[in-house]
Amino acid sequence: MNILVINAGSSSLKYQLYDMANEKVLAKGLVERIGMDSSILTHMPTGGSEIREVREILDHTAAVKHMLDMLTHPEHGVLSGSDEIDAIGHRVVHGGETFQESVLVTPEVKQKIRELFDLAPLHNPAHMAGILAVEAILPNVPQVVVFDTAFHQTMPPTSYMYAIPTVLYRRHKIRRYGFHGTSHAYVSRTAAEFLGRPVEELKMVTCHLGNGASCTAVLHGKSYDTSMGMTPLEGLMMGTRSGDLDPAVVPYAMGKEDLTLNEVNSMLNKHSGLLAISGFSSDMREITEAMQNGHEGAHLAFDMYVYRVRKYIGAYAAAMNGLDVVVFTAGIGENSAILRQRVCEGLTFLGIRLDAARNEAKSREIRRISADDSRVEVLVVPTNEELMIARDTFRIVRERTASKANG
Ligand code: ADP
């Protein structure tokens, strides 16, 4: 079965085509600048060379058409026709309290995703545009939606409620949801498999450290708490996002600097985090290099980042009353040995000990980086959200086919 995974943004569309017989990627690509004057389509067939085209792509329907042209292109394509696509899986950022798991797209599901537009105004409408574009062009291909928030729907109210008047929760669903759920679910399961232990027996903290970053307390295979909240702004310090701060800072700064709501939102989401503290970059590679060359802002940015990851791991060990496994994933978590070392060196009281050589070894594979006598296993697990979406889509479509055959 061939499954196409789509991540539709407001002006971009990323895709990856999987052959589920062996979970191999047949091709992937990206359409950028949708609706702008010159859109760019980059297509990469596995084992072939990258193709880049500049075209006019005015909306998501045109983007889907161009993507299909590429996938079925006589020279660069990997399919002889779009009828070889058996199902499509979409990444959707916000599933609110409505979606606890991935589901097949139906008219009711689309309506419920629309009802959640308010909670993710930048993301969910773009995902919907992707779903509708596919529906218009491939009306008979089943579509599945996989939510970033779904994995965290197991959080208890002690983790997800904010201590503010509950009318705000009842009327507006203001609560903590958490994000990166597909990644936290994938790496926690993969880590348990790697260790050969049932995930139901483990207390894990998974650290997804990319441009956005979050830690999750995965208790017996389920999300028990996570650092992002109602939006992906809460929690760890990130590339350009502040993470946790005293909420009183917001009205105070607005008053002092005469900021509008939009301005303060943009300050906290786009001009804070590593970028604000270093004064020059949101990119951890550049920060690390500058720190090693003695740049003071980079030093403080790096130290604050490390300190906050360490605090969350410690807090979640306390929340779960124990810790068996720490997982590092995403761009920074998978690649920065120095960051992992610095986070873990402050956690020896929990029984965490890294093996320096294992930590510094360059590898793209899942691996253990803790020492043999470390009480807690520390792993690097490359995340793969697209594969997780493809697997969910495959499972749901297969179950549907089986129930149709039986019914
Ligand atoms: P996104 O959240 O956009 O998917 P990624 O998971 O790709 O982001 O992570 C991007 C971050 O990973 C950037 O801060 C980048 O500097 C960092 N990164 C990538 N490679 C390295 C490396 N070798 N050392 C340190 N940081 C790295």
Side-chain angles (χ1 to χ4, degrees):
M1 193 187 277
N2 293 325
I3 307 265
L4 181 61
V5 175
I6 293 184
N7 182 354
S10 54
S11 65
S12 70
L13 186 143
K14 282 191 209 150
Y15 60 92
Q16 236 176 83
L17 180 70
Y18 279 90
D19 175 356
M20 293 312 283
N22 48 18
E23 295 192 335
K24 287 275 175 310
V25 175
L26 300 175
K28 58 183 172 183
L30 167 67
V31 186
E32 291 166 280
R33 300 173 56 82
I34 297 172
M36 298 178 208
D37 44 3
S38 43
S39 315
I40 307 162
L41 187 152
T42 314
H43 177 75
M44 181 79 170
T46 303
S49 44
E50 184 177 290
I51 297 106
R52 221 172 128 82
E53 285 188 356
V54 178
R55 299 185 182 188
E56 184 174 80
I57 301 179
L58 289 179
D59 56 20
H60 285 77
T61 310
V64 167
K65 272 203 187 107
H66 287 302
M67 169 188 72
L68 293 174
D69 284 350
M70 271 299 172
L71 288 169
T72 57
H73 191 278
E75 199 183 331
H76 314 301
V78 290
L79 300 173
S80 49
S82 52
D83 55 346
E84 290 182 4
I85 298 172
D86 298 291
I88 292 181
H90 291 267
R91 171 189 182 224
V92 176
V93 164
H94 220 306
E97 290 187 323
T98 318
F99 296 103
Q100 266 100 55
E101 54 190 9
S102 308
V103 289
L104 201 66
V105 174
T106 61
E108 297 78 56
V109 165
K110 280 188 289 181
Q111 181 50 31
K112 285 180 180 158
I113 296 175
R114 278 194 197 95
E115 288 163 14
L116 295 167
F117 277 8
D118 265 0
L119 281 174
L122 299 179
H123 293 101
N124 276 21
H127 305 318
M128 182 57 81
I131 294 167
L132 295 176
V134 169
E135 206 171 77
I137 300 167
L138 301 171
N140 298 319
V141 178
Q143 304 195 69
V144 167
V145 273
V146 179
F147 300 91
D148 278 13
T149 49
F151 181 60
H152 301 301
Q153 279 295 299
T154 50
M155 285 195 292
T158 40
S159 299
Y160 72 68
M161 287 300 285
Y162 289 117
I164 55 176
T166 52
V167 66
L168 292 169
Y169 169 61
R170 289 197 304 276
R171 278 197 201 142
H172 308 295
K173 294 284 175 227
I174 295 179
R175 51 158 281 182
R176 309 183 63 251
Y177 292 95
F179 298 87
H180 294 143
T182 311
S183 176
H184 290 292
Y186 176 81
V187 299
S188 55
R189 284 168 207 175
T190 308
E193 267 167 37
F194 175 81
L195 294 169
R197 295 173 65 183
V199 75
E200 295 77 17
E201 287 175 8
L202 295 171
K203 297 175 176 180
M204 280 194 205
V205 176
T206 49
C207 308
H208 178 110
L209 311 176
N211 281 316
S214 62
C215 282
T216 296
V218 185
L219 179 61
H220 305 151
K222 293 182 177 159
S223 174
Y224 181 74
D225 199 354
T226 192
S227 59
M228 283 178 167
M230 186 180 94
T231 77
L233 184 57
E234 192 180 336
L236 299 173
M237 176 172 167
M238 306 178 215
T240 61
R241 290 176 232 162
S242 65
D244 294 333
L245 86 168
D246 180 346
V249 167
V250 176
Y252 190 80
M254 286 176 81
K256 288 285 177 195
E257 292 281 318
D258 205 12
L259 301 173
T260 63
L261 275 178
N262 277 344
E263 284 166 344
V264 80
N265 227 341
S266 152
M267 175 188 92
L268 295 172
N269 280 289
K270 299 191 180 139
H271 305 284
S272 295
L274 291 173
L275 175 62
I277 301 297
S278 71
F280 71 96
S281 175
S282 63
D283 186 298
M284 188 51 98
R285 265 169 304 203
E286 293 177 16
I287 303 271
T288 310
E289 200 185 314
M291 171 180 75
Q292 285 159 344
N293 292 328
H295 188 288
E296 266 182 43
H299 215 295
L300 178 59
F302 187 90
D303 287 351
M304 283 173 69
Y305 192 100
V306 164
Y307 180 63
R308 289 181 176 207
V309 176
R310 197 190 286 155
K311 274 210 294 193
Y312 265 100
I313 296 174
Y316 288 163
M320 295 187 288
N321 190 20
L323 181 65
D324 302 305
V325 186
V326 173
V327 175
F328 286 99
T329 193
I332 300 171
E334 289 168 32
N335 296 302
S336 179
I338 181 170
L339 181 119
R340 295 190 300 256
Q341 183 228 316
R342 291 285 310 283
V343 167
C344 292
E345 73 191 10
L347 294 170
T348 48
F349 79 102
L350 285 173
I352 292 181
R353 282 212 330 112
L354 284 197
D355 178 295
R358 287 178 190 163
N359 183 40
E360 277 153 34
K362 297 250 179 293
S363 162
R364 299 241 150 259
E365 303 293 313
I366 179 168
R367 60 199 186 276
R368 176 189 276 112
I369 57 169
S370 43
D372 290 338
D373 63 352
S374 179
R375 197 150 33 104
V376 175
E377 304 270 11
V378 186
L379 307 183
V380 175
V381 183
T383 195
N384 196 337
E385 290 159 278
E386 292 78 13
L387 177 59
M388 186 84 188
I389 295 172
R391 283 182 182 167
D392 268 17
T393 305
F394 180 56
R395 176 178 50 79
I396 289 169
V397 169
R398 216 177 31 179
E399 281 166 8
R400 187 184 79 140
T401 316
S403 77
K404 269 193 177 169
N406 293 334

